[in-house]
Amino acid sequence: MSHLLEERPTAPATDATWWRQAVVYQVYPRSFADSDGDGIGDLPGITARVPHLRRLGVDAVWLSPFYPSALADGGYDVDDHRAVDPRIGTLAQFDDLVTALHAAGIRLVVDIVPNHSSDRHRWFQAALAAGPGSPERERYVFRRGLGVDGERPPSDWTSVFGGPAWEPVGDGDWYLHLFAPEQPDWNWDHPDVRADHLETLRFWADRGVDGFRIDVANALTKHLPATLPSAEELRAADLPDGAHPYFDRDEVHEVYAAWREVFDSYDPPRTAVAEAWVPAHRRARYASPLGLGQAFNFDLLLARFDAATYRTVVEENLRFARDAESSSTWVLSNHDVVRHASRFALPPGTDEKAWLLSDGHDPEPDVAGGLRRARAATAFVLALPGSAYLYQGEELGLPEVADLARADLQDPTWLRSGGTEKGRDGCRVPLPWSAEGPSHGFGPGGSHLPQPSWFADVAADRQDGTPGSTLEFYRTALAVRRRLQTVEELSWVEGTPEGVVQFTRPGGWTCLTNFGPDPVPLPAGQVVLCSGELGSDLVPADTTVWLEDEAGRPSA
Ligand code: GLC
């Protein structure tokens, strides 16, 4: 297999469509690799692990926020969008990372967080200092409180993390924060806000960044009437598309049309992908070539591991992507959800929040079955047309660290929900690179979230070169995908046994997933990948197999 890796083609710099079928690997910088022993992952740590990414065979890396931040929301509270958190590195080290990735043929996508800044941002500090009615406050969403002295919030809206969405500043004014209080929302009607973000995009594009992942892309523009509806009124209103006061408003696409001009002023054009939790039919405008160009499809984060569900999700999303003139995206894990090896270890319908509150014991997860299904699902999505987004550690088959002690939790969800939701820290524990050594090879010191002792068993060095390990499975899958991936087409194979989904791709590539409980016959062809153990002529339950059509093989 090694010759495949050596021959890896580096996409030409002028390739404007690299993203359409890319494998994009998400790095959560503070938890990836730590070079200096302070327990927080950093840019030199990532640069040192570029060989791992190259060997894995990814096309691009998406870096979650690495900007200066008080970490009220894991870095999504950005103090300065055009700088690097000194605990994570320097701009020079950022440039080194770009160089190392590009030399390895890997593109770089960075996270842009445009809905809010942090409360330490210089413009928010200026707004606080300047007082009510000042031009400085107009860059954010300030409102007079209700009551004689503004002592009551302008409305009873709640934030995404729980608790009120308005925070008082002590002079009768309140500001809107759809997320944590440390994340004041920008006022996107303000020209300074628009101009500043264009400058941020150019800043990173000029440094060689290939694309952007846009955080909460469906928020940003707001229309808040003089009298605000109550939370209950908003819920009951059954609003037409685009009429919600702060989510998924049509005007947000004017913002992205302006960003598109910036993206297209580069050669090759810079790319973008929207994080927009909107109904599927509203995704198209985010994914339009006149806007961001691509949008996340999170349907598989919510889907049961089930043949009919998976097929429907794929059919719908390929159609949506085609209608939007984009390509689909496939996501099984990211930094906001329970890792898929654990999701698939729980009985369908399990309340994951309650499961986390039980420290992962109620119900007890079927760890082996979860990994089996996770690998099958991964091989399924990697065979689909479109781009696949992988989350760091999934190539090790990492399950969620569900038993983090309450005292160690960092996610604002924990406190803001009044201890009723543990939050997202369990998928953000620093990676185990080695079975032995401090912080399992994460770095020379500790790790900012504690690692469980079982990390030794799943460490990358234990899996490296071990036949059948999840790491080797991912490496093979990505190498075979690179070889077989052609045009963005798929044909379903009908008449398969119950619980089986099978499709072919042009060029003689077949993917079969057995979601059902019983083994099914192995179709004809040369097996080039199997997510589990193949019986002689049978595909066992919870297993995906890829076959290459002998006839479709290019002659040697
Ligand atoms: C996005 C991020 C999430 C963050 C939130 C607020 O959903 O993925 O991690 O907490 O936005 O920025």
Side-chain angles (χ1 to χ4, degrees), residues 301-315:
L301 297 181
L302 307 171
R304 295 163 82 109
F305 183 79
D306 160 89
T309 310
Y310 267 55
R311 177 158 172 177
T312 307
V313 165
V314 173
E315 281 175 334

Side-chain angles (χ1 to χ4, degrees), residues 73 76 113 116 161 179 183 213 215-216 275 335-336 424 428:
D73 179 22
Y76 284 88
V113 189
H116 40 262
F161 296 143
F179 293 86
Q183 293 166 298
R213 177 264 188 193
D215 191 65
V216 223
E275 187 219 20
H335 66 298
D336 289 330
R424 302 160 293 177
R428 301 176 178 181

